[in-house]
Structure formats: C-alpha cells, structure tokens
Amino acid sequence: MRLSDRVALITGAASGIGRAAALLFAENGAAVVAVDVDDTGGEETVALIYQQGGHASYFHADVASSDGSQQMVEHAEKKFGKLQILFNNAGIMLGEDADAITTEEAIWDRTMEVNLKGVFLGCKYGIPALQRAGGGSVINTASFVAILGAATPQIAYTASKGGVLAMTRELAIIHARQNIRVNALCPGPLKTKMLMDYLDTEEKRQRRLVHVPMGRFGEAHEMAQAALFLASDESSYITGADFSVDGGLTAAYVTPDEPTAL
C-alpha cells in the first residue's frame, strides 16, 4: 500500500476534502488522526475508516488555537508513535466575505485565523514531529485563487490562500534537506458544502463554472487522490509546488463558453 506503516494527521476531516482524504489515506495503509471542531462529523469519519478495516483516531481541535494545534500533534505521536504526513486542510469561507469595501474587519480576522494562522500553527508544531520521525510530507490546502483572482469577490479568503501558498514555498526551502517536503494543494471550484453554501444562487455558480474548461465542479475524492500522491513516495522529488487540481481553470485564457472573451 502507498502509505503503509505511516501516520497522517488531517485537519478539517469531518467533511469534504478532509474526510475523503482520511478515508483514502487509511485505505492505503496509513493510521489517520482526524481533526476537526465538528465532533459528530469527525467521529463519523473515524467510524467509516474502521468500517473499511483501517486505523484512526478523532481529535477535537480548533486549528486557530496554538494549544489545539500543539495538542493534536501530541495526540498523534502518543496514539500512533509518530507523525509522517501532515495535511493542513481545515478552512472556512464566510458568506459575508466580499470586496475590500464591504467586508467587515471581523470577517477578515476570522478567515485569516483559520485559513492562514491555522496552517502556520499546524506547521509550527507538526514539522518538529516529522523531524522526529525522520522526515515526511506536509500538504497545505491553498486554492486556485492563490494564483488567480476570483470571479466572485471573496477578498479575505483569496488573501488567506495566497498566504498559504507563499508560506508553503518558504517552508519547502527551509526543510528541503531534512527529508521533509512541503507542497500546496490548489483545488479549483468544488462541489462541497462549503462552496455551495457560499455560491448560494445558480447565477453565482454559473459565474464560477464559466471559467472552468471542463465545465463542472470538482469532487472531494478527486482532491483526495491528489493529496495521496503528494503524501506518498511517488512525489519524492516534488517540494514547494502549487499543485493545481482545477479542471484546467488556471491554464485557461478563453474558455469554450467564452469564445470572444478578452
């Protein structure tokens, strides 16, 4: 199996990409620490892993909390003896997030706390654990909006994901000779509850889809497959990368539905 005898910690594991990755990592041999603030969803993820014959443990932690981030890493090492894969996936997208003029400061602050500070804290406490284990892989969930501006205004989310991508590159350089790889997974628009709640009208959804050459939203399991690649030895010479899984969005200038776009 691709992750046999490895221990993975995945934040935001109660749903979406996090749950899909937790199930797939476990299926490929990893023991998984599923982290979330949604206890019901997190426990369901662990139960699903046990149903498929895997090993997992749920841990409640707010990634924006230094104590929570430190304790989730300590739990992984205490429960399974080591940590080799850190998937900083937890994130939020708040409905009140719009442009710089109308977005309230509290919305900006909360988005940064979870999406950017949460990744920083995960790395702050997780990377030393990877060092103790002799190396491993860090995967940080960024977004295509870390590379391109969003068609639907979401200034705090976009800025937070740009920060995740920049931080990923720097950490990759710092730890490149320590057998620790650090990469950013950059999903395109996904058919997840988080995005569908944000794009809460058909008009908003179509405005996003018109930019995707494949013409559909991505699925959480497709992002999980990309994360599995980055977690495994198959990506052993990849670090500091922005790994775009976006239906061609970041490669497109004119999409099939916009033949006259400039």
Side-chain angles (χ1 to χ4, degrees), residues 171-208:
L171 288 169
I173 301 306
I174 293 169
H175 299 288
R177 299 199 178 187
Q178 299 172 8
N179 194 32
I180 293 173
R181 299 180 296 105
V182 188
N183 291 291
L185 177 64
C186 296
L190 303 182
K191 193 176 181 180
T192 58
K193 185 178 186 302
M194 184 174 76
L195 184 60
M196 294 301 100
D197 285 350
Y198 181 77
L199 301 176
D200 56 1
T201 67
E202 187 60 27
E203 180 183 3
K204 288 180 181 178
R205 293 173 185 177
Q206 289 305 315
R207 187 177 181 192
R208 184 64 59 87

Side-chain angles (χ1 to χ4, degrees), residues 30-236:
V32 174
V33 175
V35 176
D36 213 294
V37 293
D38 175 0
D39 294 340
T40 300
E43 294 285 7
E44 286 175 353
T45 297
V46 169
L48 289 169
I49 290 172
Y50 274 110
Q51 286 174 18
Q52 67 182 26
H55 299 283
S57 176
Y58 173 67
F59 190 81
H60 176 102
D62 179 355
V63 297
S65 159
S66 182
D67 287 345
S69 293
Q70 183 174 11
Q71 290 165 8
M72 70 184 186
V73 173
E74 290 174 350
H75 174 80
E77 291 187 301
K78 186 177 296 185
K79 180 72 175 177
F80 295 114
K82 57 187 175 181
L83 179 63
Q84 296 141 304
I85 301 163
L86 174 63
F87 188 6
N88 291 306
N89 169 70
I92 59 173
M93 179 183 289
L94 301 176
E96 302 89 344
D97 188 1
D99 58 30
I101 299 169
T102 60
T103 300
E104 296 292 335
E105 189 174 348
I107 299 299
W108 173 274
D109 288 346
R110 183 56 182 161
T111 302
M112 291 297 168
E113 283 175 356
V114 176
N115 292 3
L116 185 55
K117 183 182 177 184
V119 173
F120 161 70
L121 291 174
C123 292
K124 179 178 180 64
Y125 296 109
I127 288 177
L130 267 63
Q131 291 172 327
R132 290 189 287 272
S137 174
V138 179
I139 306 159
N140 298 326
T141 298
S143 170
F144 77 96
V145 299
I147 302 167
L148 301 175
T152 304
Q154 48 183 37
I155 191 69
Y157 183 85
T158 295
S160 71
K161 294 302 185 177
V164 168
L165 181 53
M167 179 165 50
T168 296
R169 289 170 173 153
E170 180 153 333
L171 288 169
I173 301 306
I174 293 169
H175 299 288
R177 299 199 178 187
Q178 299 172 8
N179 194 32
I180 293 173
R181 299 180 296 105
V182 188
N183 291 291
L185 177 64
C186 296
L190 303 182
K191 193 176 181 180
T192 58
K193 185 178 186 302
M194 184 174 76
L195 184 60
M196 294 301 100
D197 285 350
Y198 181 77
L199 301 176
D200 56 1
T201 67
E202 187 60 27
E203 180 183 3
K204 288 180 181 178
R205 293 173 185 177
Q206 289 305 315
R207 187 177 181 192
R208 184 64 59 87
L209 276 180
V210 75
H211 297 284
V212 181
M214 290 183 73
R216 66 172 177 87
F217 290 107
E219 300 284 351
H221 70 86
E222 293 173 308
M223 304 306 114
Q225 291 286 354
L228 175 62
F229 170 71
L230 292 174
S232 74
D233 290 340
E234 294 166 17
S235 58
S236 59

